[in-house]
Amino acid sequence: MEVRQLEAFIAVAEHLHFGRAAERLFMAQAPLSRAISGLESELGARLFERSTRTVALTDAGRALVEPAHAVLAAVERAADAVTAVVKGEAGVIHVEFTGVAAHPIVAALARRMRAEHPGIRLELSSQSISRPVMNNLVQGSTDIALGRWDQLPPGVSARVLLLDSLVVALPRTHRLAGAGTISFGDVAHEPFVSLPYAAGSITTDRLWRLGYAYNTVIDNVQFAPDTQSCIALVSADVGCHLALASLGRRTDNPDVVFVRLASDDAERVPDVHLRVAWRTTQSSPAVRMALEFLSRHGMSADPP
């Protein structure tokens, strides 16, 4: 049973006239008659009673009218769905991100897509560090990734979304808590709490790089599973924590102070900017639309 046969059947059923049905379908009457005959042969039943003057539906024909309409409507919906995806008007985008600095960006993207492209659904997920976000992007389970990476694997492109910098989180009782800016050398020999380096923490990497620059072995007294746990340990006077400036601006803990790291120290290590990454071969119009929105909001510095 073919779609063209059902279209021919519905046209004849509605007009009860082969000539007018053929005109509606912009075809000759002979191929229309062949389509009806082929459908009848396939179903093993006559669908119309024909005479030289009249055409009438048989019981089998009347039974087919509603299912035929349903099939044609489903075909039309399928075609519309494909067209919407091709035009970028529908689809699913998997977005994964890390860090509190990404939260307002992802929220703005979600609001924009809901308002302007309601047929596109965003599926959002987060990680505490950036490495698994990149792994998921490479493996194809994520379409757009927001995070911080020093190197990109083959087949991945990225763009800076948010300029960021390093700060040192200190207990409020610390001797340097009132300083506007400090050199890393001022705290290089003090205890630190950090995220696990093996998991791919960018701040732990920068901490150890700074220790190397100052010829100091960092005293990591404790590793914590996430940044908020690190901040809690700082507030308990367990140690200092090398953090991101964007985190400091979004953390409300009266027992912790975030002090800016001197610019010459920041120049000793790679940047910590927030980036958006995607697979270079990405062809989804919906994903390209989301990336275009993010690009218009990229390269801005987080407010001081």
Side-chain angles (χ1 to χ4, degrees):
M1 187 181 305
E2 299 178 2
V3 171
R4 65 178 183 83
Q5 292 175 315
L6 293 178
E7 290 174 338
F9 166 74
I10 290 298
V12 176
E14 291 181 351
H15 289 281
L16 294 178
H17 191 285
F18 275 75
R20 288 194 290 272
E23 290 176 1
R24 168 178 157 179
L25 297 174
F26 302 101
M27 63 189 300
Q29 188 170 330
L32 173 64
S33 297
R34 287 196 295 270
I36 297 298
S37 296
L39 182 59
E40 289 176 327
S41 296
E42 186 173 342
L43 294 175
R46 288 185 62 81
L47 301 174
F48 298 99
E49 293 290 352
R50 307 171 179 85
S51 72
T52 56
R53 293 178 177 271
T54 61
V55 176
L57 282 164
T58 64
D59 289 342
R62 282 189 289 271
L64 181 59
V65 170
E66 185 175 345
H69 275 297
V71 170
L72 293 177
V75 170
E76 184 176 357
R77 288 196 301 273
D80 289 343
V82 172
T83 299
V85 170
V86 170
K87 291 182 177 179
E89 298 170 354
V92 179
I93 305 175
H94 301 272
V95 179
E96 195 164 16
F97 57 94
T98 183
V100 296
H103 293 181
I105 297 174
V106 172
L109 174 63
R111 289 194 298 269
R112 179 68 172 270
M113 299 304 280
R114 279 198 302 270
E116 298 185 6
H117 309 283
I120 297 176
R121 187 174 82 253
L122 263 62
E123 292 191 352
L124 308 176
S125 60
S126 64
Q127 300 277 356
S128 58
I129 53 179
S130 297
R131 181 181 294 174
V133 176
M134 179 57 70
N135 291 340
N136 290 338
L137 178 67
V138 171
Q139 293 167 7
S141 59
T142 295
D143 299 310
I144 296 176
L146 279 71
R148 304 164 199 273
W149 308 279
D150 290 334
Q151 295 180 329
L152 299 176
V156 172
S157 300
R159 179 186 298 121
V160 172
L161 277 185
L162 182 72
L163 302 177
D164 214 335
S165 57
L166 292 169
V167 295
V168 180
L170 302 172
R172 184 164 292 279
T173 56
H174 194 278
R175 58 186 173 82
L176 296 174
T181 303
I182 63 173
S183 166
F184 184 77
D186 296 331
V187 294
H189 297 281
E190 299 201 18
F192 273 84
V193 294
S194 304
L195 295 168
Y197 178 77
S201 166
I202 199 82
T203 52
T204 305
D205 172 85
R206 300 302 188 261
L207 174 64
W208 290 5
R209 286 175 185 254
L210 286 168
Y212 179 81
Y214 278 86
N215 197 27
T216 300
V217 177
I218 301 298
D219 182 15
N220 269 123
V221 294
Q222 190 166 340
F223 290 97
D226 54 61
T227 302
Q228 292 307 318
S229 297
C230 288
I231 299 304
L233 291 170
V234 172
S235 68
D237 289 333
V238 174
C240 309
H241 175 61
L242 189 67
L244 300 167
S246 56
L247 170 71
R249 286 185 281 272
R250 292 175 172 84
T251 298
D252 184 17
N253 187 321
D255 298 319
V256 178
V257 175
F258 295 87
V259 181
R260 189 179 311 163
L261 198 62
S263 58
D264 58 338
D265 283 332
E267 293 172 358
R268 294 173 185 261
V269 296
D271 71 66
V272 289
H273 303 324
L274 179 68
R275 288 173 165 81
V276 56
W278 63 94
R279 290 185 298 280
T280 306
T281 57
Q282 177 59 251
S283 59
S284 165
V287 172
R288 290 200 301 269
M289 194 175 301
L291 288 171
E292 181 182 350
F293 169 80
L294 290 172
S295 70
R296 293 198 300 270
H297 294 72
M299 287 301 293
S300 60
D302 205 22

